[in-house]
Amino acid sequence: MEFGDGRRDVVDPEVRAYVSSLVTALGGSGADEDGRYVLGDDALACLRDLKKWLKLYDEKANRLDVARCLAESNLVGGDLLQILAAWPENATEDRLKSKIALACLELLVPLTWPLEKDTQAMTVNHHRHIPYLQIAQLGYKRAIINFDGARILHTAVRCALPSMAEAMGDRSTRDEGIIKLLLYFVRNIAMIAPPPNVQYEGDEAEISRSATIDAFDYQDILHLLLTVSSTMGEEFNTQDVVVLDILFHLIKGVDIEKLFVDEAKADNSKIDELKRLRQKEASMLRSYQVNAPTRHNRFGTMAWMQREDSKMTTISGQSAIMDSTRSLAKMDSTKKFKPPRKALKGEKGPMDFDTPVMLNVQANKHLRTFVEDFLDAGFNPLFSHLRKAIDREAERILEYHPRQFFYLVSWFLEAERVRRKSKVPSKGQKPEEIDNYSLVASVLNQEMFVTLNRAMEQTFENKSWQDLSAAMKCFTQILLTVQEMSESPLEEDQEIAENILSRIFYEETTHDRIANLTRTYKDQGFGYLDSCTELAHHYLRILEQYSKQNVDMQVRSRRRIRRKKKAARADGEDDPNDDVDDSDGEDEARAEKVSRDRKFDFKRFASRFVTQGCVDTFVTFTAYYNDLKPAQLKRAHRFFYRVAFKQDMSVMLFRVDIVALLHKMIKGPEGLDPQASCFKEWDELVKQVLKKCIRKMQERPELVVEMLFSKINSTAQYLEYGYEKQTASAK
Amino acid sequence: EKASKAALDEEVKITRKPQAPRVKLDEDRLLSAAGIPKLRNKAKHHLKFKGKGHEYSDTARLLSFYQLWLDDLFPKARFLDALAMVEKMGHKKRMQMMRMEWINEGKPRPDNDDLF
């Protein structure tokens, strides 16, 4: 069809005619019926025809023409939602109405289905329609979660209730299909968000995460999720991946610390935050003002710098005459050349979990309640079920599911830890009343470690960095949980934790892998950088603590084991090869030896992190210092401290760019905020490192050249100690 | 009319001066007289530190020392960019051999008794 101005319609006119006549025949509202929506005579057939159009035209021919027509004719807002809203709660038994509602759901799911780009199958039509459809889907989501007349999502659940009520074994294929349809509908709604390159023109608040969570709470979707996940394996089986998908899109990027702050405290902390941010801004402005010109911009100062060989460099602007550092900085800033640089890789689409999301107070409250309920009831059944499915590579597990799985496990483990912290332990609590860690036990077993290790291995080999990032986050949280377990007052928890820790401590492959991950960072994006430095930091820290465990504690733990075995023996169980008979004195000697060995092992392990690659990774991380949180800055601080003073290899830090970074952090311009809490310890560290550096340069003049380069270990050894490393010791 | 057609058919030759070769910060430049030899020389004679208590001012001096040297060697790049480029050069075989040589120069001579 040709328009008057010569444009051509993007859709085949015949298709458009058919589809719009179907939409018209579906029903409508008129003045005669007080504006109520009245179904057309053959509404059900119309709905089925529309579904056929979507399936047989769009899907078969791989076009999006029908979806486009439906978006233009406002089918969702104008008809489907009206029809669903007209299905009253008390008419659930009405066969025809429930059939029609189900038919609406069957249309809604394909219409809200995520549009994927960058597939091989994309045609001209996709390129033409996808931008329009993405915006249209935002409109669908807004209409669905903000619908005034009725709870649309709740109505959708009602469509599937009869099927869900059946026992798992008795369900027909159709029942399974309906349940899946409902869950995918919820998934789609949770997933729809403005694409990263598009500015949404409507009210963002209507489709934001907060709005989604509020709607899910109000329409009882959160209850649905709880029910399905807590009975996973009993009532539900293959639905686990969809639930995983929904949970992922619901909580990705949510800050857990903020989630668990009390409301009263939240108000206070908001005021504090405002204060803090204003202080930060003020200090930023101050640092600019120190360098700002004191006169107007046409004042025309010109300075020159006398260089050797009677060379001169001219610099304009008042900042040039303040001091030599400023003039050098000015000279640098006028240069135009930029070396070619690779863009950072990183996920920007719906699978991105590194972009932080803000929630409003209401949504925060709802989500928090949900998370607590989920931890209490749904965590173990859902995640152990999923882990098994991943392990046996079930058909329903798609490529992105392991990533979501590991991310969610890490997220909920952290949530559990934060929740424990926020619970104030009452005084005089008996040990029996303290919760043990059984709520999250399903991800602390040996099978999980196997899965996790394999995932880290594979994703590293395949260079799928986002998956690896999620797995690293998961491992970090498991480590932190185990560490907290080892400090729990319950003996049982302590014992489990000790077992896990000792296994990790002696697992060389894991050591190698983690050192390797830290060493090989190269433009994988900030999210990845954050996960791998976090893992390295906690791994080192926890193993160090384990290696330092004092003799006394080990004696105690041996005694505990002995006592247990004795009890077991008393019960009549006989274990032929146990060493119960060693006495207390032997215990101590043995413990001393063990702790000595462990110290040595740890030292050897920690030395793997004193390579230039690891140092470079942490330097790249530290370069973001103005955007890092205090905990992240602390991580970098501890690492440098370890390299320079614990491992005595400060030479690794003596490189001009690292020295320049450290100097800039303290002395600016645009340095760390001097009022910040961590400034002092950084100041101290930097001062010590620089002091060593200057001293070393005087001691060994050849360092002047080596300051420019990454050092290989043997030269570093020589520069640090003045002798080569002895590879074979003479007898 | 014929003449104009012929003029049209005549091939238009475009002559372009060959572009001046781009200046690169490579090993040759780094090892030339203005490169690392000069850096070593300058460091020996001009780089002085105040020592204890003046860590930051000493470091500032050190940084400007390197910055001026790099500005002379490769004026078009910014300080940090040039540093990264130099660092990359350090992985080349030839550079590594030279680096070893410079380090060995500074090492104390082993006593002859130890050799056998």
Side-chain angles (χ1 to χ4, degrees):
Chain A
M1 186 172 70
E2 197 134 346
F3 291 119
D5 52 1
R7 284 183 301 126
R8 284 179 58 80
D9 193 359
V10 289
V11 177
D12 185 2
E14 222 169 308
V15 174
R16 184 185 291 279
Y18 269 117
V19 170
S20 47
S21 71
L22 278 173
V23 174
T24 319
L26 198 54
S29 50
D32 318 346
E33 296 90 13
D34 323 322
R36 271 185 304 111
Y37 188 90
V38 176
L39 274 180
D41 288 338
D42 249 338
L44 190 57
C46 285
L47 286 170
R48 283 184 178 153
D49 272 1
L50 282 172
K51 200 180 105 194
K52 267 184 206 150
W53 268 100
L54 272 175
K55 200 172 177 82
L56 298 180
Y57 191 82
D58 268 12
E59 246 177 67
K60 271 270 167 64
N62 197 17
R63 315 166 71 103
L64 290 168
D65 289 351
V66 179
R68 171 85 182 237
C69 289
L70 292 179
E72 281 171 3
S73 61
N74 188 27
L75 170 80
V76 173
D79 297 287
L80 297 184
L81 298 189
Q82 307 287 348
I83 297 172
L84 282 174
W87 185 31
E89 295 261 1
N90 51 17
T92 302
E93 298 301 310
D94 190 336
R95 294 265 313 156
L96 179 69
K97 286 214 160 153
S98 69
K99 256 188 190 167
I100 287 179
L102 190 59
C104 287
L105 190 60
E106 276 178 305
L107 273 176
L108 281 170
V109 171
L111 286 176
T112 52
W113 200 265
L115 300 155
E116 269 173 49
K117 276 189 169 182
D118 305 324
T119 48
Q120 297 285 320
M122 255 176 101
T123 62
V124 183
N125 266 20
H126 288 79
H127 287 287
R128 200 179 274 153
H129 295 320
I130 281 184
Y132 184 90
L133 288 176
Q134 276 177 332
I135 302 292
Q137 287 192 339
L138 295 178
Y140 296 160
K141 174 167 179 172
R142 197 195 41 151
I144 289 167
I145 63 179
N146 298 308
F147 195 80
D148 281 333
R151 303 195 291 170
I152 297 298
L153 293 170
H154 184 75
T155 313
V157 176
R158 271 164 54 208
C159 293
L161 275 183
S163 307
M164 287 166 76
E166 296 272 341
M168 190 165 77
D170 300 340
R171 277 183 212 140
S172 63
T173 332
R174 184 171 172 275
D175 288 330
E176 292 280 339
I178 292 172
I179 296 174
K180 216 164 238 185
L181 198 69
L182 165 72
L183 288 173
Y184 273 117
F185 180 53
V186 175
R187 194 277 309 258
N188 293 348
I189 297 304
M191 191 168 173
I192 292 172
N197 49 353
V198 171
Q199 189 66 43
Y200 179 57
E201 297 200 334
D203 188 359
E204 290 263 3
E206 285 181 324
I207 52 165
S208 65
R209 190 72 65 77
S210 299
T212 313
I213 291 170
D214 280 343
F216 276 19
D217 178 71
Y218 173 62
Q219 314 206 19
D220 296 334
I221 298 299
L222 296 181
H223 286 305
L224 171 80
L225 291 176
L226 273 178
T227 313
V228 175
S229 51
S230 61
T231 52
M232 190 59 68
E234 298 162 26
E235 296 293 322
F236 298 95
N237 189 10
T238 52
Q239 290 83 355
D240 51 356
V241 286
V242 199
V243 176
L244 175 77
D245 223 355
I246 299 170
L247 287 175
F248 178 78
H249 292 296
L250 208 56
I251 62 160
K252 61 180 177 189
V254 173
D255 186 348
I256 296 160
E257 296 281 347
K258 281 191 189 133
L259 191 65
F260 280 89
V261 174
D262 281 328
E263 237 174 283
K265 249 196 214 161
D267 283 342
N268 275 335
S269 75
K270 270 200 184 126
I271 294 170
D272 285 346
E273 195 174 3
L274 185 65
K275 246 192 221 158
R276 194 176 55 75
L277 286 176
R278 293 205 45 166
Q279 256 167 17
K280 198 175 172 190
E281 192 187 10
S283 85
M284 227 162 73
L285 282 177
R286 213 179 310 123
S287 83
Y288 287 131
Q289 270 158 1
V290 170
N291 307 323
T294 50
R295 298 199 178 252
H296 59 82
N297 62 352
R298 297 224 254 159
F299 198 67
T301 317
M302 172 86 96
W304 73 81
M305 203 167 30
Q306 180 83 48
R307 314 256 299 256
E308 56 190 14
D309 314 329
S310 61
K311 229 168 85 177
M312 304 253 233
T313 306
T314 49
I315 302 153
S316 63
Q318 288 171 61
S319 63
I321 54 171
M322 295 225 284
D323 62 42
S324 61
T325 338
R326 299 252 179 286
S327 49
L328 280 175
K330 178 82 190 178
M331 183 181 93
D332 212 37
S333 68
T334 52
K335 296 183 178 180
K336 293 277 185 334
F337 171 75
K338 278 204 180 110
R341 206 166 272 150
K342 268 190 198 162
L344 289 182
K345 298 170 208 130
E347 181 81 48
K348 283 265 148 46
M351 287 300 153
D352 163 40
F353 48 74
D354 292 315
T355 315
V357 173
M358 300 304 250
L359 294 183
N360 61 27
V361 180
Q362 198 67 18
N364 206 32
K365 211 171 89 191
H366 294 323
L367 187 62
R368 180 179 169 172
T369 324
F370 170 71
V371 168
E372 294 197 30
D373 291 344
F374 180 81
L375 282 168
D376 290 340
F379 186 92
N380 279 336
L382 179 65
F383 286 126
S384 66
H385 200 261
L386 274 164
R387 207 232 338 115
K388 281 176 204 154
I390 289 173
D391 276 350
R392 90 183 113 79
E393 290 171 357
E395 212 175 309
R396 61 178 187 277
I397 299 285
L398 299 178
E399 183 216 338
Y400 59 86
H401 284 133
R403 177 191 317 184
Q404 293 181 334
F405 172 73
F406 289 126
Y407 178 74
L408 281 184
V409 170
S410 85
W411 196 92
F412 279 110
L413 277 181
E414 193 180 346
E416 170 67 11
R417 287 194 303 113
V418 175
R419 176 167 79 149
R420 276 171 177 273
K421 233 177 273 167
S422 66
K423 257 192 227 158
V424 193
S426 56
K427 274 200 178 151
Q429 206 173 19
K430 282 178 217 142
E432 303 91 65
E433 287 164 13
I434 300 169
D435 305 335
N436 60 7
Y437 283 79
S438 58
L439 284 180
V440 292
S442 66
V443 295
L444 298 177
N445 52 20
Q446 191 55 23
E447 288 92 338
M448 181 68 185
F449 278 101
V450 173
T451 312
L452 188 57
N453 281 331
R454 199 176 45 212
M456 289 207 280
E457 195 74 54
Q458 275 175 0
T459 50
F460 183 64
E461 262 169 35
N462 300 339
K463 297 189 166 49
S464 40
W465 306 120
Q466 288 303 305
D467 295 296
L468 183 54
S469 175
M472 289 194 289
K473 271 184 200 295
C474 182
F475 194 31
T476 310
Q477 289 306 326
I478 289 180
L479 282 177
L480 289 172
T481 310
V482 168
Q483 200 215 359
E484 273 179 23
M485 265 172 92
S486 71
E487 286 158 7
S488 139
L490 295 179
E491 263 195 11
E492 202 179 326
D493 280 345
Q494 278 178 29
E495 206 168 302
I496 296 170
E498 211 161 289
N499 270 333
I500 295 174
L501 281 176
S502 70
R503 217 161 20 203
I504 294 174
F505 188 80
Y506 292 110
E507 223 166 71
E508 291 272 331
T509 45
T510 316
H511 299 341
D512 284 338
R513 186 176 311 120
I514 291 184
N516 219 2
L517 290 175
T518 323
R519 200 158 47 79
T520 50
Y521 170 78
K522 197 170 184 302
D523 49 50
Q524 280 101 333
F526 181 76
Y528 179 89
L529 184 59
D530 187 35
S531 334
C532 83
T533 49
E534 190 182 20
L535 176 58
H537 170 71
H538 289 299
Y539 196 68
L540 272 166
R541 196 174 58 85
I542 287 168
L543 288 199
E544 183 170 35
Q545 233 169 46
Y546 180 76
S547 75
K548 272 186 188 158
Q549 252 184 13
N550 48 25
V551 178
D552 188 42
M553 231 163 117
Q554 284 173 44
V555 173
R556 240 186 303 154
S557 105
R558 287 194 70 82
R559 268 190 204 140
R560 197 167 58 218
I561 293 168
R562 184 140 19 102
R563 203 165 52 228
K564 273 222 164 145
K565 281 197 175 153
K566 262 194 190 139
R569 182 175 282 184
D571 285 350
E573 295 164 34
D574 208 33
D575 191 2
N577 44 351
D578 58 356
D579 46 355
V580 184
D581 303 322
D582 41 2
S583 63
D584 275 11
E586 229 171 294
D587 264 1
E588 252 152 65
R590 207 177 268 212
E592 225 162 282
K593 183 176 178 306
V594 167
S595 75
R596 213 175 29 239
D597 286 353
R598 277 189 194 169
K599 258 184 205 132
F600 175 72
D601 277 344
F602 177 74
K603 192 114 193 166
R604 212 159 45 90
F605 159 66
S607 68
R608 289 176 218 222
F609 285 81
V610 197
T611 55
Q612 198 73 53
C614 292
V615 172
D616 284 350
T617 303
F618 272 89
V619 168
T620 320
F621 184 65
T622 315
Y624 293 97
Y625 60 89
N626 265 334
D627 303 318
L628 294 186
K629 290 181 207 137
Q632 291 171 317
L633 273 171
K634 192 171 160 188
R635 193 188 303 164
H637 180 275
R638 292 296 182 275
F639 180 79
F640 291 135
Y641 179 78
R642 187 183 292 282
V643 169
F645 301 105
K646 283 197 183 166
Q647 302 277 331
D648 285 324
M649 283 301 266
S650 46
V651 171
M652 294 317 248
L653 300 180
F654 299 163
R655 208 173 62 195
V656 186
D657 56 335
I658 302 176
V659 169
L661 172 69
L662 293 178
H663 187 260
K664 189 182 174 191
M665 279 176 81
I666 304 299
K667 286 288 162 187
E670 290 154 47
L672 276 178
D673 177 15
Q675 257 98 51
S677 54
C678 52
F679 181 82
K680 225 172 169 185
E681 50 184 22
W682 272 99
D683 186 23
E684 195 51 39
L685 174 79
V686 171
K687 202 191 264 173
Q688 292 304 328
V689 170
L690 295 182
K691 191 173 170 183
K692 265 197 165 182
C693 178
I694 301 288
R695 203 188 297 148
K696 252 299 138 359
M697 289 208 66
Q698 287 165 328
E699 220 172 280
R700 286 185 221 295
E702 54 274 23
L703 192 59
V704 171
V705 179
E706 287 297 305
M707 281 281 283
L708 289 169
F709 304 111
S710 297
K711 294 145 204 75
I712 40 177
N713 268 353
S714 66
T715 24
Q717 181 82 16
Y718 167 69
L719 289 169
E720 182 78 48
Y721 300 110
Y723 54 84
E724 304 271 332
K725 200 173 194 171
Q726 299 237 287
T727 38
S729 59
K731 291 231 164 160
Chain B
E1 202 195 64
K2 229 180 192 177
S4 70
K5 203 175 180 190
L8 274 179
D9 284 348
E10 220 168 88
E11 221 174 286
V12 184
K13 269 186 195 143
I14 304 166
T15 50
R16 196 192 269 166
K17 256 196 237 165
Q19 240 179 14
R22 214 172 260 177
V23 183
K24 273 188 201 151
L25 185 57
D26 52 10
E27 293 160 86
D28 294 332
R29 182 166 281 260
L30 210 53
L31 291 172
S32 70
I36 289 179
K38 184 177 160 198
L39 180 79
R40 299 182 51 184
N41 211 1
K42 261 176 76 175
K44 213 178 278 171
H45 300 297
H46 300 296
L47 193 60
K48 296 278 183 297
F49 296 116
K50 283 191 183 162
K52 208 178 161 207
H54 295 87
E55 287 83 16
Y56 289 114
S57 62
D58 276 347
T59 311
R61 192 177 329 221
L62 183 70
L63 289 173
S64 62
F65 167 76
Y66 279 107
Q67 192 177 349
L68 287 172
W69 169 71
L70 274 173
D71 186 58
D72 281 340
L73 182 67
F74 191 64
K76 75 175 179 184
R78 293 185 179 188
F79 182 39
L80 288 178
D81 294 338
L83 276 179
M85 293 158 98
V86 170
E87 201 280 324
K88 216 166 152 194
M89 282 296 117
H91 298 286
K92 292 268 166 85
K93 199 98 208 170
R94 196 165 137 222
M95 280 307 295
Q96 278 188 336
M97 271 163 58
M98 289 306 289
R99 281 166 64 188
M100 268 333 269
E101 216 168 280
W102 289 317
I103 287 183
N104 287 336
E105 263 175 49
K107 278 185 188 168
R109 297 278 148 150
D111 293 339
N112 282 335
D113 302 351
D114 286 355
L115 297 172
F116 51 87

